[in-house]
């Protein structure tokens, strides 16, 4: 993985001491809260309902065991013994104290981590496929691109005060696991006819109050021109994006107000300006620098192995729970004899994405002993061990299981994304996590979930859509009706290469009604599907919303 | 405009009117803990010790709370019943702020009573 150079180390250290002095000045009264608030937000420190919340950046979701141990130590020493994986592949701490924050940041800096640009109207953490570097069919490891973007966007002086926050995602496989179509910019790594890698560029996707699927801005951008093209897009957005109304300030609104053609023309004009400067005059990376960064993402030295493993086969035959976990939580690896495994943070009844200090340490140990010291966070609020030998898999599973980390539900209906909602969030209308937990309880039997098949349920406690409800196969949005919690269902959303925004179906449902309603939609699907291979989303695409709406409201009346 | 129809922030992004019984609430600057303005112009973590006020008295209390920047962040007026329990549209939000997250009964003030 990428390791800090002297420049990275210096800017992160400087930032910590700067923030320490800012906190001192706030406490002494030398600066007001209005002055301090943007400074703390630039360092990832929010104020939620009960406490501060610190959001730690996890660039493209990649962590090593030492970093996991540092996160565990922060959870233990400064928080309440747990941390939380966010839908931007970051970590959040829910209870830090203001005075401790500089020390926390210092501890993070020692492990090459920080909280910079995890808030505010700047370019946020670039996210990617959590199987990056391990997945089959990759054009190249997408994290190389993410790291190039990280270096370019960190403290970029021109883009520190954009009209709104800005999110970029990168995918390097045909199957999109990074939700690139619902990002401000989505980059799809592809090869041209000559076999050279480059990018298809999407712009103007997003969720929130006005969900939109991104539009294709460029069919093939040579890799060498990535940064000047991104800079051109950001420059157009920075100049023309709306600053008069925060709800209309995202780039998706600018693209739709300008129209794609005019927006593209404006970007091309800026792009030409960079091109005219010629090699060395633009902001693009010299090839040797790109190669240096790429070197950090060289695949781990995986010993050659056979495609089959006797140890694995024996365990599979003798342990039903292991077989269930294998069935749902594994993903094919590009090397024979290896797999990637999803470490589910969705046991029934626990807040989706929470992980304790002890569990973080267990995961660090497993990664060190069996996983080539590589761990990922996922935007679906789970974690991943990307490189595991089939021969080691049973031992890994048993250790995960002992630590409560072997729930066999990846991709099933209890693998729910839920935002923090009204249990923590200052902006929430309703709670999200208790709804997720009640759905998990209703469908607790994993074999019954397995029978239902892949089903993505996503829950947000308000229209900001941090829980990605717009792209849930079943989305649930919390709405406030005169102080009571109500929930609006959307159906048919999807965040993959066939991305779609879910359709709002009917009136809001009360807290008491919502779980029954989800169950009715699911049983209607089971009645209507053509075979067990037809997933919920496939059946929805074939049949449309109507039969599901009927099921929802006929009996709810 | 009389004090009872003044538009006020009611926490988060919500707005409301200055009508009925109010308590000034904020977060403690150092810990982030939920605090309430009480008699003697002091902050308390105990809602039952809070100062309940109405109309222009509520606005005065809010002004004083705002002036106390060294202790508190983001004061606003919340609705309360005469017994000082949270009421109105923000009832659930304020109950959760006061007690703690419903998904973690082991944390927050609710834990102290277990
Ligand atoms: S969706 Fe709304 S309630 Fe949920 S975390 Fe985001 S802002 Fe808070």
């Amino acid at each position: 993985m990428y390791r800090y150079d002297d420049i990275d180390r210096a800017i992160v250290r400087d930032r910590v001491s700067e923030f320490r002095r800012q906190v001192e000045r706030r406490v002494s009264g030398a600066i007001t809260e209005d002055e301090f608030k943007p400074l703390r937000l630039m360092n990832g420190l929010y104020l939620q309902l009960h406490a501060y919340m610190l959001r730690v950046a996890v660039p493209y979701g990649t962590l090593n065991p030492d970093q996991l141990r540092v996160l565990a130590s922060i959870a233990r020493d400064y928080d309440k013994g747990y941390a939380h994986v966010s839908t931007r592949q970051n970590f959040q701490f829910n209870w830090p104290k203001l005075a401790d924050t500089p020390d926390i940041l210092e501890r993070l800096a020692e492990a090459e981590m920080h909280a910079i640009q995890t808030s505010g109207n700047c370019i946020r953490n670039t996210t990617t496929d959590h199987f990056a570097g391990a997945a089959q069919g990759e054009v190249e490891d997408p994290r190389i691109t993410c790291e190039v973007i990280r270096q370019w966007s960190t403290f970029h002086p021109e883009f520190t005060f954009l009209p709104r926050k800005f999110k970029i995602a990168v995918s390097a496989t045909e199957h999109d696991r990074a939700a690139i179509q619902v990002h401000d910019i989505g980059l799809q790594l592809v090869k041209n006819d000559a076999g050279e890698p480059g990018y298809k560029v999407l712009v103007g996707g997003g969720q929130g109050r006005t969900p939109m699927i991104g539009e294709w801005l460029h069919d093939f951008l040579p890799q060498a021109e990535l940064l000047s093209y991104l800079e051109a897009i950001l420059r157009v957005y920075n100049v023309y994006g709306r600053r008069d109304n925060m709800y209309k300030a995202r780039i998706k609104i600018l693209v739709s107000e300008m129209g794609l053609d005019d927006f593209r023309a404006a970007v091309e004009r800026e792009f030409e300006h960079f091109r005219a400067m010629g090699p060395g005059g633009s902001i693009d990376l010299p090839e040797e620098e790109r190669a240096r960064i790429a070197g950090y993402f060289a695949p781990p030295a995986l010993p050659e192995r056979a495609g089959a493993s006797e140890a694995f086969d024996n365990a599979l035959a003798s342990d039903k729970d292991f077989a269930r976990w294998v069935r749902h939580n594994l993903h094919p690896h590009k090397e024979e004899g290896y797999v990637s495994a999803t470490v589910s943070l969705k046991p029934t009844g626990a807040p989706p994405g929470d992980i304790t200090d002890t569990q973080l340490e267990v995961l660090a140990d497993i990664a060190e002993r069996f996983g080539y010291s590589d761990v990922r966070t996922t935007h679906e609020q789970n974690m991943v061990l990307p490189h595991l030998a089939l021969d080691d898999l049973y031992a890994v599973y048993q250790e995960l299981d002992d630590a409560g980390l072997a729930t066999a539900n990846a991709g099933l209906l209890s693998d729910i994304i839920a935002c923090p909602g009204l249990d923590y969030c200052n902006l929430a209308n309703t709670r999200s996590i208790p709804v997720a937990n009640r759905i998990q309880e209703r469908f607790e039997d994993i074999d019954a979930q397995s029978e239902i098949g892949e089903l993505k349920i996503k829950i947000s406690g308000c229209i900001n859509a941090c829980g990605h409800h717009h792209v849930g196969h079943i989305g649930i949005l919390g709405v406030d009706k005169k102080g009571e919690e109500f929930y609006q269902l959307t159906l048919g959303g999807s965040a993959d290469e066939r991305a779609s925004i879910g359709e709002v179906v009917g009136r809001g449902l009360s807290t008491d009604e919502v779980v029954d309603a989800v169950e009715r939609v699911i049983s209607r699907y089971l009645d209507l599907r053509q075979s067990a291979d037809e997933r919920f989303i496939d059946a929805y695409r074939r049949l449309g919303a109507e039969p599901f709406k009927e099921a929802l409201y006929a009996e709810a009346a | 405009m009389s004090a009872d129809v003044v538009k006020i922030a009611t926490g988060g992004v919500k707005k409301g009117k200055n009508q009925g019984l109010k308590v000034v609430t904020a977060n403690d600057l150092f810990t982030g803990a939920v605090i309430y303005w009480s008699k003697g112009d002091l902050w308390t973590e105990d809602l039952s010790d809070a100062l309940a006020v109405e109309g222009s008295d509520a606005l005065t209390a809010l002004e004083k709370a705002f002036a106390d920047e060294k202790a508190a962040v983001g004061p606003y007026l919340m609705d309360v019943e005469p017994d000082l329990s949270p009421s109105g549209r923000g009832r659930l939000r304020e109950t959760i702020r006061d007690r703690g997250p419903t998904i973690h009964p082991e944390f927050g003030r609710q834990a102290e009573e277990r």
Side-chain angles (χ1 to χ4, degrees):
Chain A
M1 71 185 281
Y2 183 76
R3 301 309 305 246
Y4 277 12
D5 60 17
D6 292 345
I7 298 172
D8 293 308
R9 209 164 290 121
I11 59 175
V12 170
R13 286 252 155 85
D14 286 355
R15 190 60 179 260
V16 174
S17 21
E18 193 178 274
F19 188 59
R20 190 179 292 284
R21 292 194 299 272
Q22 288 161 350
V23 170
E24 282 165 9
R25 294 212 298 281
R26 172 67 180 96
V27 169
S28 74
I31 53 174
T32 63
E33 181 62 20
D34 281 350
E35 290 163 330
F36 180 65
K37 187 176 173 184
L39 301 175
R40 73 166 153 78
L41 288 174
M42 280 178 194
N43 290 286
L45 191 64
Y46 288 74
L47 185 56
Q48 303 222 94
L49 292 180
H50 324 273
Y52 289 98
M53 182 272 278
L54 182 68
R55 182 178 295 149
V56 177
V58 180
Y60 34 88
T62 295
L63 289 161
N64 65 33
D66 290 343
Q67 291 174 323
L68 288 178
R69 292 190 184 106
V70 165
L71 292 167
S73 78
I74 292 169
R76 185 175 299 135
D77 297 345
Y78 297 109
D79 210 271
K80 294 192 186 287
Y82 70 103
H84 178 79
V85 176
S86 81
T87 51
R88 259 215 100 59
Q89 295 184 284
N90 289 326
F91 262 98
Q92 298 186 168
F93 292 102
N94 282 304
W95 305 88
K97 297 189 172 57
L98 178 64
D100 290 336
T101 316
D103 292 339
I104 298 175
L105 294 178
E106 196 162 305
R107 205 180 274 193
L108 288 169
E110 279 161 24
E112 302 187 358
M113 283 187 286
H114 60 72
I116 296 162
Q117 289 182 209
T118 58
S119 172
N121 293 337
C122 54
I123 300 170
R124 303 287 189 89
N125 187 29
T126 299
T127 49
T128 192
D129 183 359
H130 37 265
F131 298 126
Q136 295 174 352
E138 267 181 355
V139 173
E140 68 169 24
D141 190 326
R143 294 174 302 163
I144 302 166
T145 300
C146 296
E147 176 57 27
V148 168
I149 295 172
R150 186 193 73 79
Q151 296 196 14
W152 160 76
S153 63
T154 300
F155 297 143
H156 193 310
E158 191 177 331
F159 306 138
T160 304
F161 298 100
L162 293 166
R164 277 292 271 143
K165 57 188 168 184
F166 203 90
K167 299 178 179 178
I168 304 175
V170 186
S171 169
T173 51
E174 269 175 35
H175 180 49
D176 174 13
R177 285 177 289 266
I180 63 169
Q181 298 192 43
V182 284
H183 276 77
D184 295 296
I185 291 178
L187 296 172
Q188 166 86 51
L189 269 148
V190 289
K191 282 191 174 155
N192 65 6
D193 294 342
E196 298 153 342
Y199 305 97
K200 281 172 86 170
V201 182
L202 276 153
V203 72
Q207 302 196 53
R209 156 179 324 251
T210 322
M212 288 188 191
I213 300 294
E215 299 197 69
W216 293 108
L217 191 62
H218 202 309
D219 282 343
F220 186 81
L221 177 71
Q223 252 182 346
E225 295 181 334
L226 174 68
L227 292 185
S228 51
Y229 197 72
L230 291 181
E231 185 117 342
I233 297 175
L234 265 295
R235 191 167 277 184
V236 170
Y237 171 52
N238 207 15
V239 172
Y240 299 109
R242 288 181 61 170
R243 290 171 191 269
D244 60 323
N245 178 344
M246 73 177 285
Y247 300 120
K248 298 197 166 166
R250 295 292 286 263
I251 197 171
K252 60 192 171 188
I253 305 293
L254 179 66
V255 173
S256 81
E257 285 185 355
M258 280 178 87
L260 184 64
D261 291 342
D262 284 356
F263 181 81
R264 184 186 285 120
V267 170
E268 288 295 328
R269 275 196 298 278
E270 285 297 335
F271 191 38
E272 275 313 312
H273 164 80
F274 289 117
R275 277 184 160 161
M277 292 182 195
S282 82
I283 46 107
D284 283 316
L285 276 191
E287 184 44 41
E288 36 318 346
E289 178 56 11
R290 191 181 194 284
R292 189 187 71 86
I293 293 174
Y296 286 109
F297 297 95
L302 304 177
E304 233 174 79
R305 289 181 188 269
S309 154
E310 207 182 310
F312 173 74
D313 290 343
N314 289 342
L316 211 53
S318 64
D319 185 338
K320 264 205 228 133
D321 292 335
F322 175 59
R324 197 180 284 120
W325 183 77
V326 164
R327 183 161 168 212
H328 298 300
N329 291 39
L330 295 192
H331 193 266
H333 197 281
K334 61 184 177 186
E335 298 297 337
E336 239 186 14
Y338 291 86
V339 288
S340 304
T342 297
V343 177
S344 169
L345 303 184
K346 317 284 177 68
T348 296
D354 275 12
I355 182 164
T356 68
D357 52 347
T358 318
Q359 288 176 323
L360 283 164
E361 286 168 344
V362 168
L363 207 50
D365 289 347
I366 294 174
E368 215 156 50
R369 281 184 295 131
F370 301 108
Y372 299 86
S373 292
D374 195 347
V375 183
R376 311 291 171 79
T377 50
T378 83
H379 84 268
E380 294 184 321
Q381 300 180 294
N382 288 313
M383 297 191 77
V384 159
L385 290 161
H387 316 287
L388 295 171
L390 272 184
D391 289 332
D392 296 331
L393 205 60
Y394 192 47
V396 169
Y397 165 78
Q398 286 172 308
E399 292 192 23
L400 288 173
D401 194 31
D402 287 346
L405 288 169
T407 309
N409 62 349
L412 299 180
L413 81 82
S414 59
D415 184 5
I416 297 171
I417 294 184
C419 80
L422 192 56
D423 279 300
Y424 294 104
C425 175
N426 212 5
L427 307 174
N429 284 326
T430 69
R431 287 171 292 168
S432 305
I433 298 167
V435 176
N437 291 156
R438 284 167 49 222
I439 294 172
Q440 289 172 327
E441 276 151 23
R442 177 73 60 93
F443 294 93
E444 193 168 3
D445 179 21
I446 299 269
D447 290 330
Q449 290 182 40
S450 173
E451 180 62 34
I452 294 164
E454 183 189 285
L455 179 55
K456 298 195 184 268
I457 300 180
K458 308 188 184 199
I459 311 176
S460 307
C462 82
I463 196 62
N464 288 327
C466 305
H468 296 189
H469 67 277
H470 292 301
V471 290
H473 297 169
I474 298 178
I476 302 177
L477 163 67
V479 288
D480 169 38
K481 272 198 192 169
K482 298 194 177 119
E484 296 298 320
E485 294 178 294
F486 271 75
Y487 296 90
Q488 174 76 64
L489 256 55
T490 55
L491 298 176
S494 167
D496 61 11
E497 61 283 3
R498 291 189 61 193
S500 52
I501 303 297
E503 190 179 334
V504 175
V505 285
R507 64 171 174 83
L509 299 154
S510 69
T511 306
D512 289 341
E513 291 170 319
V514 64
V515 179
D516 291 340
V518 168
E519 188 172 17
R520 278 198 300 277
V521 169
I522 292 171
S523 55
R524 178 58 60 97
Y525 151 68
L526 290 173
D527 291 344
L528 294 174
R529 72 180 176 185
Q530 288 174 325
S531 74
D533 290 337
E534 189 182 42
R535 300 170 308 161
F536 176 87
I537 187 71
D538 303 327
Y540 181 88
R541 284 174 180 152
R542 177 170 58 83
L543 297 161
E546 229 24 69
F548 299 100
K549 274 190 201 168
E550 262 171 44
L552 252 180
Y553 295 104
E555 296 155 60
Chain B
M1 194 187 279
S2 69
D4 60 349
V5 291
V6 170
K7 264 209 162 183
I8 52 167
T10 59
V13 287
K14 304 239 159 62
K15 295 258 186 292
K17 285 184 183 155
N18 185 23
Q19 279 170 341
L21 209 53
K22 306 281 181 186
V23 158
V24 181
T25 181
N27 291 81
D28 182 281
L29 172 66
F30 302 95
T31 63
V34 175
I35 48 177
Y36 307 98
W37 192 248
S38 72
K39 293 188 192 91
D41 295 350
L42 292 170
W43 292 100
T44 174
E45 290 197 14
D46 187 347
L47 180 53
S48 63
D49 283 345
L51 178 73
V53 269
E54 259 185 282
S56 58
D57 289 347
L59 296 180
T60 307
L62 182 62
E63 219 168 280
K64 283 189 193 167
F66 259 115
D68 194 17
E69 274 229 322
K70 272 188 152 185
V73 183
Y76 63 91
L77 293 170
M78 60 179 264
D79 289 317
V80 287
E81 300 288 350
D83 69 357
L84 292 187
S85 61
S87 73
R89 286 189 73 159
R91 185 185 51 79
L92 180 60
R93 171 192 160 89
E94 293 307 335
T95 304
I96 292 174
R97 280 181 80 237
D98 184 43
R99 308 319 300 155
T102 61
I103 47 159
H104 276 300
E106 70 278 31
F107 302 139
R109 285 176 207 142
Q110 60 194 349
E112 290 153 24
E113 286 152 25
R114 271 155 41 104

